[in-house]
Amino acid sequence: SLEGKEKELQAAVSAASKETTEKDTLQQQCNDLTADRDAVKASLEGKEQELQASITVAKKETTEKGTLQQQNNELVAERDSLKASLEGKEKELQAAVSAANKETSEKGALQQQCNNLAAERDALKTSL
C-alpha cells in the first residue's frame, strides 16, 4: 500500500541518517588515530636521535623504540580497520540513499497509477 511504502521510505531515510551519523563518528575516530600515530612517529624520531648519542642509552632506547613501533603498528592497523569500516559504512549509506530514491520513484509511480485509475473510474461512472 502507499502508506506502507511511505513508512518504508521514512525508515530508509532514518537508516540513512543513522548511517551518516555513524560515518561521522568513525571519521572522527580515524582522525584521532591519525593524530596519535603522528605523535607516536614524532616521539619515535626523537628516540632514534638519542640512540645515536649514547650506546648505554641505545639498549634502553631500542626497547622503547620496539614498544613504540608496536604501538604505532597497532594504531596503523586500527586506523586501517576503521578506514575499511568507514568505507563499508559509506557503501551502506549509498545503498540506503539509492533505496530511498527507488522508494520515492516507486511511490510516484504508484500515485500516478492511482490517479489514472481514479480518472478511469470517474470516466466510467460518467459514461454509465
Side-chain angles (χ1 to χ4, degrees), residues 1-6 102-117:
S1 74
L2 187 56
E3 289 177 349
K5 291 290 183 181
E6 288 177 341
K102 182 179 177 186
E103 291 291 333
T104 300
S105 295
E106 290 174 0
K107 178 184 172 189
L110 288 172
Q111 184 63 50
Q112 185 59 46
Q113 287 177 359
C114 286
N115 293 344
N116 292 346
L117 289 172

Coordinates of all heavy atoms in Angstrom, one line a residue, residues 1-6 102-117:
S1 N 0.8 -1.2 0.0 CA 0.0 0.0 0.0 C 0.9 1.2 0.0 O 2.1 1.2 0.3 CB -0.9 0.0 1.2 OG -0.1 0.3 2.4
L2 N 0.3 2.3 -0.3 CA 1.0 3.6 -0.4 C 1.5 4.0 1.0 O 2.7 4.4 1.1 CB 0.1 4.7 -1.0 CG 0.8 6.0 -1.3 CD1 2.0 5.8 -2.2 CD2 -0.2 7.0 -1.9
E3 N 0.7 3.8 2.0 CA 1.1 4.2 3.3 C 2.3 3.3 3.8 O 3.2 3.7 4.4 CB 0.0 4.0 4.3 CG -1.1 5.1 4.2 CD -2.3 4.9 5.1 OE1 -2.3 3.8 5.8 OE2 -3.1 5.8 5.2
G4 N 2.3 2.0 3.4 CA 3.3 1.1 3.7 C 4.6 1.6 3.0 O 5.7 1.5 3.6
K5 N 4.5 2.0 1.8 CA 5.7 2.4 1.0 C 6.2 3.7 1.7 O 7.4 3.9 1.8 CB 5.3 2.7 -0.5 CG 5.0 1.5 -1.2 CD 6.3 0.6 -1.5 CE 5.9 -0.6 -2.3 NZ 7.1 -1.4 -2.5
E6 N 5.3 4.6 2.1 CA 5.8 5.8 2.8 C 6.5 5.5 4.1 O 7.6 6.1 4.4 CB 4.6 6.7 3.1 CG 4.0 7.4 1.8 CD 2.8 8.3 2.1 OE1 2.2 8.1 3.2 OE2 2.5 9.1 1.3
K102 N 14.8 5.0 -4.9 CA 13.9 4.0 -5.6 C 12.5 4.0 -5.0 O 11.5 4.0 -5.7 CB 14.6 2.6 -5.5 CG 13.8 1.5 -6.2 CD 14.4 0.2 -6.1 CE 13.6 -0.9 -6.8 NZ 14.1 -2.2 -6.6
E103 N 12.5 4.0 -3.7 CA 11.2 4.1 -3.0 C 10.4 5.3 -3.4 O 9.2 5.3 -3.6 CB 11.3 4.0 -1.5 CG 11.8 2.7 -0.9 CD 10.8 1.6 -1.0 OE1 9.6 1.9 -1.0 OE2 11.2 0.4 -1.1
T104 N 11.1 6.4 -3.5 CA 10.4 7.7 -3.9 C 9.9 7.6 -5.3 O 8.7 8.0 -5.6 CB 11.4 8.9 -3.8 OG1 11.9 9.0 -2.4 CG2 10.8 10.2 -4.2
S105 N 10.7 7.0 -6.2 CA 10.2 6.8 -7.6 C 9.0 5.9 -7.6 O 8.1 6.1 -8.4 CB 11.4 6.2 -8.4 OG 12.4 7.1 -8.5
E106 N 9.1 4.8 -6.9 CA 8.0 3.8 -6.9 C 6.8 4.4 -6.3 O 5.6 4.2 -6.8 CB 8.4 2.6 -6.1 CG 9.4 1.7 -6.8 CD 9.9 0.6 -5.9 OE1 9.4 0.4 -4.7 OE2 10.8 -0.2 -6.4
K107 N 6.9 5.3 -5.3 CA 5.8 5.9 -4.7 C 5.1 6.9 -5.7 O 3.9 6.9 -5.9 CB 6.2 6.8 -3.5 CG 5.1 7.6 -2.8 CD 5.6 8.4 -1.7 CE 4.5 9.4 -1.2 NZ 5.0 10.3 -0.3
G108 N 6.0 7.6 -6.5 CA 5.4 8.5 -7.5 C 4.7 7.7 -8.6 O 3.6 8.1 -9.1
A109 N 5.2 6.5 -9.0 CA 4.6 5.7 -10.0 C 3.3 5.2 -9.5 O 2.3 5.1 -10.2 CB 5.5 4.5 -10.4
L110 N 3.3 4.7 -8.2 CA 2.0 4.2 -7.6 C 1.0 5.3 -7.5 O -0.2 5.1 -7.8 CB 2.3 3.6 -6.3 CG 3.0 2.3 -6.2 CD1 3.4 1.9 -4.8 CD2 2.2 1.2 -6.9
Q111 N 1.4 6.5 -7.2 CA 0.5 7.6 -7.1 C -0.1 7.9 -8.5 O -1.3 8.2 -8.6 CB 1.2 8.9 -6.5 CG 0.3 10.1 -6.3 CD -0.8 9.8 -5.3 OE1 -0.5 9.3 -4.2 NE2 -2.1 10.0 -5.6
Q112 N 0.7 7.9 -9.5 CA 0.3 8.1 -10.8 C -0.7 7.0 -11.2 O -1.8 7.3 -11.9 CB 1.4 8.2 -11.8 CG 1.0 8.6 -13.2 CD 0.3 9.9 -13.3 OE1 0.8 10.9 -12.7 NE2 -0.8 10.0 -14.0
Q113 N -0.5 5.8 -10.9 CA -1.4 4.7 -11.2 C -2.7 4.9 -10.5 O -3.8 4.7 -11.1 CB -0.8 3.4 -10.8 CG 0.3 2.9 -11.7 CD 0.9 1.6 -11.2 OE1 0.5 1.0 -10.2 NE2 1.9 1.0 -11.9
C114 N -2.7 5.4 -9.3 CA -3.9 5.6 -8.5 C -4.7 6.8 -9.2 O -5.9 6.7 -9.3 CB -3.6 6.0 -7.1 SG -3.1 4.6 -6.0
N115 N -4.0 7.8 -9.6 CA -4.6 8.9 -10.2 C -5.3 8.5 -11.6 O -6.4 8.8 -11.9 CB -3.6 10.0 -10.5 CG -3.1 10.7 -9.2 OD1 -3.7 10.5 -8.2 ND2 -2.0 11.4 -9.3
N116 N -4.5 7.6 -12.3 CA -5.1 7.1 -13.6 C -6.3 6.3 -13.4 O -7.3 6.4 -14.1 CB -4.0 6.3 -14.4 CG -2.9 7.2 -14.8 OD1 -3.0 8.4 -14.8 ND2 -1.8 6.6 -15.2
L117 N -6.2 5.4 -12.4 CA -7.4 4.5 -12.1 C -8.6 5.4 -11.6 O -9.7 5.1 -12.0 CB -7.0 3.5 -11.0 CG -6.1 2.4 -11.5 CD1 -5.6 1.5 -10.3 CD2 -6.7 1.5 -12.6

